Amino acid sequence: KDNKMFEKKYNIINYSRLIIVILTNIIILLLFINLSSAKFLTNESIAAQNNITKAQNCLDDINRHNINTTRAVEALTEAQQLYTAQKALENKGGTPNYETIIKGSELVCFIKDSALLAQDELNIFLEEYNSVSEQINVSGMSAEYNNIINSFSQERFEETPEFIDKGYEKLAELQAQ
């Protein structure tokens, strides 16, 4: 009787050990799989974070030039918020998508490039406009002038150079009269 009791206890202990070994191996395997996939996702996360940092630098550059930055601030804020959400998803083991964050960050730098170009062209145009306005009546180009000023002040920087070209054409036309 004692032998049978001992064998039962021995078998139960062996089965318990076997179950513990199997569960430990499963946990180790799951951790390995999770860490492997997290490493790949972390690389995407790092790339997105680098783009956000670059976008912040672009925004700082716009601010140094005293240009209205509402559009760029909104794009950067959205990218930062999306990054936080995607990073939380990644941390919970989900599959994040950093593509929208990268596009939003790139938009900030595009706005910066457009704004700086538009500002340079606007300053040159205004010098010419002011010089010509001392010699002739330029009231005939108020629509063109307003389009130029409004496109820049409303942060439609991509349109400003086109309006400036039209402004130069109108100035030349007025000078020829």
Side-chain angles (χ1 to χ4, degrees):
K1 221 176 182 183
D2 286 337
N3 252 354
K4 285 188 178 190
M5 185 79 102
F6 177 73
E7 284 180 24
K8 278 186 175 180
K9 285 183 181 178
Y10 182 73
N11 284 339
I12 291 173
I13 291 172
N14 280 340
Y15 286 128
S16 297
R17 286 182 181 163
L18 181 61
I19 290 172
I20 290 172
V21 168
I22 290 172
L23 288 175
T24 303
N25 286 336
I26 289 172
I27 291 170
I28 290 171
L29 181 62
L30 289 174
L31 285 173
F32 177 74
I33 290 170
N34 209 11
L35 290 175
S36 296
S37 64
K39 182 179 179 187
F40 175 72
L41 296 174
T42 300
N43 289 336
E44 290 178 345
S45 173
I46 290 169
Q49 181 61 48
N50 288 341
N51 274 33
I52 288 174
T53 300
K54 182 179 177 185
Q56 182 62 56
N57 292 335
C58 289
L59 183 61
D60 292 344
D61 201 18
I62 295 171
N63 287 330
R64 277 192 294 278
H65 286 85
N66 296 317
I67 299 174
N68 193 12
T69 59
T70 304
R71 230 174 94 203
V73 168
E74 288 172 357
L76 179 59
T77 300
E78 182 179 352
Q80 290 170 327
Q81 290 171 345
L82 287 171
Y83 177 79
T84 301
Q86 293 303 308
K87 187 67 178 156
L89 177 64
E90 180 180 41
N91 290 338
K92 289 183 178 180
T95 305
N97 181 350
Y98 292 101
E99 189 175 319
T100 305
I101 296 159
I102 292 169
K103 288 180 182 177
S105 301
E106 289 172 348
L107 175 61
V108 175
C109 292
F110 173 77
I111 291 170
K112 177 205 83 156
D113 293 340
S114 299
L116 294 180
L117 175 67
Q119 184 182 47
D120 288 345
E121 290 190 22
L122 178 61
N123 289 337
I124 294 168
F125 173 79
L126 290 175
E127 284 180 28
E128 179 69 16
Y129 176 84
N130 290 333
S131 174
V132 170
S133 69
E134 291 175 2
Q135 301 165 10
I136 64 170
N137 181 1
V138 292
S139 63
M141 67 170 293
S142 61
E144 289 82 1
Y145 179 83
N146 289 335
N147 285 340
I148 294 167
I149 300 302
N150 289 337
S151 69
F152 190 83
S153 66
Q154 294 171 359
E155 299 183 47
R156 298 187 329 251
F157 305 118
E158 303 84 358
E159 297 175 4
T160 303
E162 182 180 321
F163 284 125
I164 288 172
D165 289 344
K166 290 178 183 176
Y168 278 123
E169 289 173 12
K170 189 66 174 183
L171 265 180
E173 181 183 310
L174 290 174
Q175 285 176 309
Q177 291 178 354

